[in-house]
Amino acid sequence: MDWKTLQTAMADQGYIADDDLAMAVHLALALGRPLLLEGAAGVGKTEVARVLSQVQDTQLIRLQCYEGLDAAQAIYEWNYQRQLLSIRAAAEDGETGREVEERIFSEDFLLERPLLKAIRQEKSPVLLIDEVDRADEEFEAYLLEILSEFQVTVPELGTINAVTRPIVILTANGTRDLSDALRRRCLYAHVAYPDRATELAILNARCAGIEEALAGQIIAFVQSLRKEDLEKKPGIAEMLDFAAALMGLGIADLTHDPVVLQASLATLLKTQSDRDNITTEVAQRLAGKAA
Amino acid sequence: MSRVTKFAGRDPGPAARMSGFIAHLRDNGMRLGVGETELGLHALTHVHAPSPHETRHALRAICCGCAEDVERFDDLFDAFWMNGGRVAHKTIPTQTPASDHVHSSRNAKGSDADTGAGAPTTPDGDDGAAEADGEGKLMASIAQATMKKDLRDLVQPEDILQAQKIAERLGAALRDRRSRRRKQARKGDQIHYRKVIRQSLSTGGEPLQLFKKRRPDRPMKIVAICDVSGSMTTYAQVFLAFIAGLMRADTTSDAYLFHTRLVRIAEALRDKDAIRALGRLSVLADGFGGGSKIGASLMQFSRTYARRFVDGRTVVLILSDGYDTDTPELIGEALATLKKRGCKIIWLNPLKGWAGYEPVARGMVAAMPHLDLFRPANRLADLADLERELTRL
């Protein structure tokens, strides 16, 4: 599959990727490298992984990172409860210590967490490591081993090698700077807010049956809203919510009803001060320009 | 710009060109190794290599590591592959900055294009603030300087080394903020009994896992914002050396320059080669020694970067003399916005060291109520003295 085909395939699944992103995803697939996606919140970074798993017709395994995430939650953990029950049961049956030990440290007692699960799939899955910048630096070090060798070492069992190589997608939005070591192992694409044409295509792909005039107005309105001085700029998901809200309310023209427009801004503006900044007058001015 | 570079007939082939390109990027401060050369060649077998469009996208995915790299990549790519025969080995010049004025301040695109052409730039809004300030000696100059200074003449490597030591000490003074409470930690110094007992319930009352706890670090991050306008030229040497030292000593710190606009310099200053770092800085700091818009720059900072990088555990260090061509209210407003993020604000003013100095510049007056600390500083030694103050903060 070349990158144009991939771009079309993604578009068929409802994701409009620009050339830069499509090429980066294509290379990540072709070269078997992890892909690091950076960009503001709400530009569709996580969505890339979901769509890619559909395009490749494979499973999506997701690891959501957070502060304090450790190996036990990300890679594997022993099933302590089950081990303990086994020991008790074994004691009643009069089994010897050696056998019990062999048994309770076998694969049956190993709980797979996303990273281990991802390397043990029959068909290479898409592994999404979401918001990797939220995890601690120590966790980044674990990731490095897995991303470069695709193997996991369990001291009691030995090294588990990957059956298939997962397609790895990492996302980050700048909570902290990632280490150079991690960046160097990944291909990189910066996902920006889409331009007008792209965003219109996204809207048409996602909201089938939206009227052309209204779609144009929505995009123009949201694009000019992003230029305003806001704390949290509306992303693509917000834009789609906004469109869905307007369609649900049966609005055909943004300028018609200021009250309804102001109410539907709840889908776009997510902080108090942003709501205060975009007064009815401002919203009307933007809508007027968009029309 | 539009033609693809013609390489000489004795050119040994694509592999050599690729390594030439990677070396060209490396010369310009991107952190790349042999691995990327190989990966780049490999990648081109998967795309239609003769098409510049595809090659550009493919190499961008491989060579860039952060958003700032992405911004610079196009210029560097054009310089190497698309200049119709001449291969510019260093886009970052030795004396005069060339065409790739790279800076991460988003709003500055327009004025940047002006300065690049070498044309005199539009002066700031002449709202008369400068005249109102003037006792005649120290005035914030209105026009953006057309003269370009090379910062390498100003800052000596020895200074950086010394500044680095001072910055390390300051960083340590700020950082030593241990909490009283203990939190669960993998490598703790005490056993977390509460958690051990709770967890033991699920294993039939047998404590199989030992949890530890320790006092968490509460590191303070330093964000330095340095004024490099005309009135600050004589002090810039000290401050820039200090910031360069700070950046190298402490990986969590962040730095910005401003004159008539704000520029993030942290990425440039982290360059392993200290002299090259200053070279990159000179390109960024185009407009150095010109007018100053403290209020507008601080406002831009508090609206953009501060949202990502400033929180309750940040110390914002402003190095400026407070002579501004903007309305002074803007400074107060900007600092108030910044203060709301919970950070500490320290203003270091070189003029405060003078006998009989009073902060009468209107900008300074507006800023005073928002400052946690207002101190003189015009030598490295003064900065070193800050250590005691910072521990108390």
Side-chain angles (χ1 to χ4, degrees):
Chain A
M1 195 189 317
D2 73 352
W3 69 283
K4 278 285 180 198
T5 331
L6 181 70
Q7 200 174 23
T8 330
M10 285 171 81
D12 289 342
Q13 297 293 337
Y15 192 95
I16 314 293
D18 60 13
D19 289 1
D20 226 16
L21 181 59
M23 178 61 88
V25 174
H26 167 65
L27 285 179
L29 291 175
L31 303 174
R33 287 283 183 130
L35 173 64
L36 171 64
L37 298 175
E38 265 190 330
V43 290
K45 300 185 292 293
T46 307
E47 199 66 8
V48 172
R50 193 188 60 73
V51 168
L52 194 59
S53 73
Q54 285 172 356
V55 168
Q56 298 279 318
D57 190 23
T58 177
Q59 199 185 347
L60 173 68
I61 297 175
R62 177 176 173 157
L63 173 66
Q64 171 71 47
C65 295
Y66 53 88
E67 208 178 319
L69 177 70
D70 61 10
Q73 287 141 341
I75 307 176
Y76 72 89
E77 193 172 18
W78 288 107
N79 192 339
Y80 295 112
Q81 285 91 330
R82 225 180 132 192
Q83 283 178 330
L84 204 71
L85 285 175
S86 288
I87 294 172
R88 292 254 165 101
E92 281 173 15
D93 296 350
E95 237 180 307
T96 62
R98 185 81 198 147
E99 276 168 38
V100 181
E101 198 183 314
E102 296 245 313
R103 192 151 53 84
I104 63 171
F105 286 113
S106 65
E107 297 244 345
D108 291 345
F109 292 83
L110 197 66
L111 292 176
E112 278 182 350
R113 299 287 188 229
L115 292 182
L116 181 60
K117 192 174 166 196
I119 65 168
R120 299 219 291 183
Q121 299 295 317
E122 285 299 316
K123 182 173 182 191
S124 52
V126 174
L127 171 62
L128 168 66
I129 301 173
D130 214 2
E131 305 190 349
V132 66
D133 47 351
R134 288 200 186 186
D136 308 320
E137 276 164 35
E138 299 155 37
F139 178 71
E140 242 177 65
Y142 288 125
L143 266 187
L144 288 180
E145 189 200 345
I146 293 176
L147 293 186
S148 54
E149 308 295 329
F150 289 103
Q151 63 181 31
V152 169
T153 308
V154 182
E156 294 88 351
L157 278 182
T159 304
I160 300 173
N161 278 306
V163 182
T164 50
R165 277 196 164 203
I167 303 158
V168 186
I169 300 214
L170 298 100
T171 74
N173 50 20
T175 311
R176 68 179 170 80
D177 272 345
L178 297 172
S179 71
D180 272 359
L182 184 64
R183 284 184 190 277
R184 284 206 48 200
R185 278 173 182 74
C186 301
L187 301 184
Y188 179 88
H190 187 263
V191 190
Y193 286 114
D195 58 27
R196 211 179 171 116
T198 315
E199 199 166 12
L200 193 60
I202 295 171
L203 180 59
N204 283 325
R206 285 304 181 86
C207 279
I210 191 165
E211 274 174 54
E212 207 177 308
L214 180 65
Q217 278 189 356
I218 289 174
I219 299 306
F221 182 76
V222 172
Q223 294 248 341
S224 58
L225 196 62
R226 284 198 193 117
K227 292 196 188 95
E228 294 291 308
D229 178 33
L230 295 179
E231 266 181 19
K232 164 85 190 69
K233 289 184 184 166
I236 295 170
E238 277 88 4
M239 182 274 291
L240 291 173
D241 284 348
F242 181 57
L246 291 178
M247 280 170 74
L249 290 168
I251 307 271
D253 194 313
L254 282 187
T255 47
H256 275 181
D257 193 345
V259 181
V260 174
L261 176 63
Q262 199 64 16
S264 57
L265 281 183
T267 55
L268 289 176
L269 304 173
K270 304 285 175 75
T271 72
Q272 179 62 41
S273 71
D274 285 352
R275 285 305 297 269
D276 293 344
N277 270 343
I278 307 299
T279 54
T280 316
E281 292 79 47
V282 179
Q284 280 303 302
R285 178 169 56 79
L286 295 179
K289 259 196 264 169
Chain B
M1 282 293 275
S2 56
R3 275 179 52 218
V4 176
T5 307
K6 276 207 185 79
F7 288 88
R10 61 181 183 281
D11 180 70
R17 283 180 213 171
M18 183 58 73
S19 67
F21 179 59
I22 298 289
H24 163 72
L25 294 181
R26 208 181 298 133
D27 277 345
N28 284 292
M30 287 166 83
R31 288 161 221 158
L32 302 169
V34 187
E36 278 78 11
T37 315
E38 198 193 335
L39 192 64
L41 276 175
H42 197 173
L44 291 187
T45 60
H46 290 280
V47 299
H48 182 62
S51 144
H53 179 68
E54 291 197 14
T55 309
R56 180 189 300 261
H57 287 309
L59 291 181
R60 177 161 29 213
I62 285 159
C63 300
C64 292
C66 59
E68 275 150 20
D69 286 351
V70 171
E71 247 176 72
R72 302 172 57 200
F73 184 81
D74 267 341
D75 286 345
L76 296 173
F77 184 89
D78 286 340
F80 191 86
W81 299 106
M82 308 294 285
N83 72 345
R86 295 177 310 278
V87 174
H89 279 293
K90 287 200 175 175
T91 338
I92 293 194
T94 43
Q95 281 303 319
T96 46
S99 60
D100 72 327
H101 299 286
V102 182
H103 51 80
S104 51
S105 86
R106 269 175 283 173
N107 308 349
K109 283 268 148 58
S111 75
D112 197 26
D114 290 346
T115 50
T121 48
T122 10
D124 326 344
D126 49 347
D127 46 12
E131 284 97 296
D133 250 353
E135 265 108 49
K137 293 178 294 192
L138 278 160
M139 243 189 342
S141 51
I142 293 191
Q144 202 174 31
T146 39
M147 182 176 57
K148 282 164 187 157
K149 285 210 175 73
D150 193 331
L151 297 179
R152 277 169 294 189
D153 297 341
L154 276 176
V155 184
Q156 304 302 317
E158 308 85 71
D159 287 347
I160 297 186
L161 213 64
Q162 201 196 340
Q164 199 167 337
K165 289 203 188 92
I166 295 172
E168 265 166 32
R169 292 224 315 274
L170 287 187
L174 277 174
R175 228 187 314 286
D176 192 27
R177 292 268 185 282
R178 271 171 303 171
S179 163
R180 281 187 181 280
R181 279 168 297 168
R182 286 169 198 272
K183 283 178 92 173
Q184 200 225 321
R186 223 168 315 137
K187 287 183 188 150
D189 55 346
Q190 290 188 357
I191 291 179
H192 196 324
Y193 287 109
R194 196 190 167 106
K195 182 142 190 179
V196 169
I197 291 179
R198 178 69 188 82
Q199 191 66 29
S200 75
L201 290 183
S202 66
T203 47
E206 297 200 35
L208 280 184
Q209 276 182 299
L210 276 191
F211 294 95
K212 301 282 188 68
K213 62 180 177 179
R214 71 158 173 224
R215 291 193 165 142
D217 282 336
R218 303 242 182 260
M220 293 289 267
K221 213 167 50 179
I222 305 180
V223 175
I225 306 178
C226 184
D227 184 349
V228 288
S229 59
S231 54
M232 287 284 291
T233 319
T234 37
Y235 310 105
Q237 180 183 359
V238 177
F239 289 160
L240 287 175
F242 171 70
I243 291 181
L246 181 70
M247 287 290 108
R248 303 169 81 72
D250 178 0
T251 49
T252 58
S253 58
D254 202 1
Y256 302 83
L257 284 188
F258 70 86
H259 30 85
T260 47
R261 57 184 164 82
L262 185 80
V263 180
R264 181 157 190 239
I265 54 172
E267 184 64 20
L269 279 180
R270 288 237 164 78
D271 205 314
K272 282 198 179 62
D273 179 345
I275 294 301
R276 190 172 62 200
L278 289 170
R280 286 175 68 180
L281 191 60
S282 314
V283 176
L284 289 171
D286 161 47
F288 182 84
S292 57
K293 285 189 171 179
I294 304 178
S297 302
L298 287 180
M299 200 52 159
Q300 192 194 348
F301 174 73
S302 61
R303 280 198 184 139
T304 53
Y305 296 106
R307 284 198 185 132
R308 277 171 62 200
F309 300 117
V310 174
D311 55 23
R313 290 183 193 152
T314 311
V315 174
V316 179
L317 209 57
I318 300 172
L319 306 156
S320 169
D321 56 6
Y323 283 96
D324 194 0
T325 52
D326 268 340
T327 51
E329 291 77 38
L330 204 54
I331 297 186
E333 205 181 309
L335 288 180
T337 320
L338 203 55
K339 193 78 202 179
K340 267 194 205 150
R341 300 200 63 84
C343 59
K344 302 255 185 250
I345 304 178
I346 303 178
W347 193 304
L348 300 178
N349 191 331
L351 304 183
K352 204 188 171 207
W354 293 9
Y357 168 80
E358 290 287 326
V360 286
R362 290 196 305 167
M364 218 50 247
V365 176
M368 288 305 283
H370 305 288
L371 303 184
D372 292 285
L373 192 64
F374 180 52
R375 292 277 293 168
N378 43 25
R379 287 169 302 129
L380 277 179
D382 291 337
L383 290 167
D385 288 342
L386 275 176
E387 196 182 336
R388 258 175 299 127
E389 307 271 346
L390 291 184
T391 11
R392 236 180 293 143
L393 204 69

